[in-house]
Amino acid sequence: MTGLLQLNAIAKSFHNQEGRDFKVLDGINLSLKDGEIVALLGKSGSGKSTLLRIIAGLLAPSEGEVLFNGAPVQADSHGIAMVFQTFALFPWLTVLENVELGLEALRIPEKERRKRALEAIDLIGLDGYESAYPRELSGGMKQRVGFARALVVNPSLLLMDEAFSALDVLTAETLKTDFIELWADRKTPIKSVLLVTHNIEETVLMADRILLLDANPGRIAAEVRVDMPHPRDRQSVAFRNMVDYIYMLITSGMPKRDHSTPVPAAERGIYDKLAHVSPNQMSGLMEALAASPYHGRADLPELDQTFGLGTEDVLQLVEALRLLKFAEVAAADISLTPAAKQFVDSDTQKRKQIFSEQLIQNVPLGAYIHRVLQERPGNHAPRIRFLARLEDHMAENDADEALTAVTSWARYAELFAYDDNTEMFSLENPSA
Ligand code: ADP
Ligand code: MG
């Protein structure tokens, strides 16, 4: 069976500043069938936009092929349209003119262009705004223009790149619901939708299938089917359970390691990715979790809503607490460990001591830098030494972020110091 879209073993590498290759996507196989909405869920930097650009024929993959309707995709393949996170409207053109622009490349006569643009505007609920200028529109209306511009070419495949993430929650909600209604009523020729996002709820609300994208390099790590009819009720038990389940899949996979080259056993863990989360944020969350109404245990999605941080921030915080063994995560529940409870009940000096112990025992990079500093004459070493080492096995950004994270944790814990001017690490207390 040939689907609408078929990706075969797609890989993509970019060069970093030193001219070394790093792999952003690897071994991506995917086929989209008529009538389905597929979501690709991944953290920022996992290669989602890169993959969409490859699918749209705007970027060539390093390996593999993209077949659209059975033929290799090209930048001018008809039938594919994309909606972006930012609206990219021309401020000096009206809504109608901005939408018509989508048809420019198709060399369609002016009369026909106008007719189709008006239809698309009508369909997406912009009726009456044809002659308005972008500056007169709210963010939600601007994104409706973005949708109209995509719909006007009568695409059979619609790609959405975080199409709702620049909008406030309520506006995003309305637009998602409106789009799903269009889709369910088959009011457009769109046969399939591929949407990429880092928002779990969005995938459960919209998709028939959710693919979880791992990072470094981006690979499809898991696939989840969502067998719920549209429109979906966010408050229903089935919906909440599905959100919890996906949280669990994501959190149980953390932390991720880069596998591009084999890492010697003695160094294992040093190259684990670390998100830069401040000790302040961590103690804040521990204190909140220890207090009422949580008493040491909470539901992750609920936590996300309570703190209003956005899924990604909460996941990073949770990941850091888990790594330092201040928290355990099972299914979609987070619970504080005894070390965390002791931390919360202690004064500042004792807190630093506990943090230092957790850091040495559980964060290999922290322990490694500490060990090197102990062994070195004078007990100091330049940051660049560690950075260069990490970059052997990690993408440049990740190496930098891991070092920054460990530095801020070690400073707080007074395990070792870092001088921003000389860019040198040193031991706080060499005899320790
Ligand atoms: P996402 O959309 O999931 O946030 P992207 O596809 O934008 O991720 O980026 C994935 C990775 O590829 C990032 O590390 C990014 O810096 C890198 N990247 C993207 N485009 C380029 C490029 N043209 N040259 C070099 N690196 C790039
Ligand atoms: Mg992106």
Side-chain angles (χ1 to χ4, degrees):
M1 188 188 64
T2 63
L4 181 68
L5 178 75
Q6 177 85 38
L7 305 190
N8 295 325
I10 295 291
K12 180 71 188 176
S13 299
F14 288 118
H15 297 296
N16 65 12
Q17 278 160 2
E18 284 79 47
R20 261 180 288 176
D21 268 3
F22 71 99
K23 218 168 203 180
V24 172
L25 295 168
D26 195 22
I28 305 274
N29 295 305
L30 166 63
S31 100
L32 283 197
K33 295 172 207 75
D34 280 11
E36 64 174 352
I37 300 182
V38 173
L40 202 62
L41 179 64
K43 297 192 204 185
S44 101
S46 57
K48 303 184 296 297
S49 296
T50 302
L51 186 62
L52 284 192
R53 286 168 63 213
I54 290 172
I55 292 172
L58 302 173
L59 185 69
S62 311
E63 293 165 38
E65 58 172 1
V66 178
L67 301 178
F68 178 61
N69 284 322
V73 79
Q74 283 168 343
D76 58 358
S77 288
H78 289 182
I80 304 180
M82 177 130 70
V83 182
F84 300 91
Q85 175 178 1
T86 48
F87 321 118
L89 305 181
F90 293 101
W92 58 87
L93 298 181
T94 63
V95 166
L96 180 63
E97 289 162 342
N98 265 292
V99 174
E100 276 187 53
L101 216 56
L103 292 172
E104 203 92 314
L106 300 185
R107 300 183 188 289
I108 289 170
E110 193 185 324
K111 233 177 110 187
E112 168 77 6
R113 259 195 348 228
R114 180 128 313 180
K115 180 169 162 282
R116 279 173 59 176
L118 288 170
E119 281 167 6
I121 285 170
D122 210 16
L123 201 59
I124 200 71
L126 278 171
D127 204 12
Y129 288 87
E130 295 83 357
S131 50
Y133 286 90
R135 64 169 182 277
E136 303 171 65
L137 303 179
S138 65
M141 294 304 247
K142 282 184 196 154
Q143 189 57 309
R144 281 179 197 261
V145 181
F147 271 91
R149 192 152 75 188
L151 294 175
V152 76
V153 303
N154 290 336
S156 50
L157 172 62
L158 184 66
L159 308 173
M160 294 187 201
D161 191 354
E162 315 236 16
F164 307 99
S165 53
L167 306 175
D168 67 79
V169 177
L170 285 180
T171 307
E173 207 66 0
T174 313
L175 190 49
K176 285 174 202 172
T177 314
D178 286 358
F179 177 79
I180 288 295
E181 200 178 303
L182 276 185
W183 167 258
D185 293 348
R186 306 199 163 280
K187 286 190 180 153
T188 76
I190 298 169
K191 291 181 180 162
S192 300
V193 177
L194 180 63
L195 66 92
V196 311
T197 179
H198 61 263
N199 182 316
I200 296 176
E201 298 237 350
E202 181 176 321
T203 65
V204 178
L205 185 74
M206 300 184 75
D208 303 301
R209 268 197 295 153
I210 301 168
L211 307 172
L212 304 187
L213 193 66
D214 248 348
N216 296 301
R219 288 193 179 117
I220 295 176
E223 174 173 335
V224 178
R225 292 195 162 275
V226 188
D227 285 320
M228 286 184 253
H230 289 295
R232 294 177 183 161
D233 174 9
R234 279 169 179 280
Q235 308 306 329
S236 72
V237 174
F239 193 102
R240 302 310 325 164
N241 282 346
M242 184 58 84
V243 171
D244 282 359
Y245 176 62
I246 290 170
Y247 257 100
M248 182 208 70
L249 286 180
I250 293 177
T251 46
S252 64
M254 299 185 309
K256 306 261 166 27
R257 182 178 293 137
D258 178 61
H259 290 287
S260 51
T261 35
V263 175
E267 298 178 3
R268 218 153 269 158
I270 293 175
Y271 306 101
D272 283 347
K273 283 183 68 174
L274 300 174
H276 184 202
V277 175
S278 76
N280 259 340
Q281 286 174 294
M282 286 191 248
S283 39
L285 184 58
M286 284 192 270
E287 282 163 17
L289 281 174
S292 182
Y294 300 114
H295 305 292
R297 238 206 85 263
D299 181 44
L300 279 177
E302 186 194 341
L303 205 63
D304 192 0
Q305 293 202 327
T306 314
F307 289 86
L309 291 169
T311 305
E312 203 161 336
D313 293 328
V314 169
L315 285 181
Q316 290 197 339
L317 248 176
V318 168
E319 181 169 353
L321 289 183
R322 210 178 84 117
L323 184 70
L324 284 157
K325 296 223 161 51
F326 279 129
E328 281 167 4
V329 179
D333 278 352
I334 176 170
S335 49
L336 292 181
T337 60
K341 289 177 183 154
Q342 202 196 348
F343 178 93
V344 169
D345 291 336
S346 300
D347 63 20
T348 309
Q349 212 39 51
K350 180 74 181 158
R351 280 188 174 195
K352 286 173 184 278
Q353 193 190 325
I354 296 170
F355 203 98
S356 174
E357 283 160 15
Q358 299 301 107
L359 182 55
I360 287 256
Q361 279 169 25
N362 303 305
V363 183
L365 181 59
Y368 171 70
I369 296 175
H370 186 240
R371 197 173 67 238
V372 170
L373 293 175
Q374 280 181 321
E375 288 164 2
R376 282 228 160 176
N379 301 113
H380 54 73
R383 182 180 202 265
I384 186 79
R385 173 197 191 281
F386 298 103
L387 191 64
R389 175 91 192 243
L390 293 183
E391 282 180 6
D392 289 344
H393 296 283
M394 297 174 86
E396 203 180 324
N397 291 347
D398 295 336
D400 190 69
E401 186 170 7
L403 257 188
T404 306
V406 160
T407 304
S408 93
W409 300 350
R411 268 178 168 166
Y412 169 80
E414 296 176 6
L415 180 63
F416 49 80
Y418 178 67
D419 184 328
D420 292 297
N421 294 318
T422 58
E423 303 192 341
M424 295 284 280
F425 287 109
S426 60
L427 277 195
E428 293 264 337
N429 180 2
S431 60

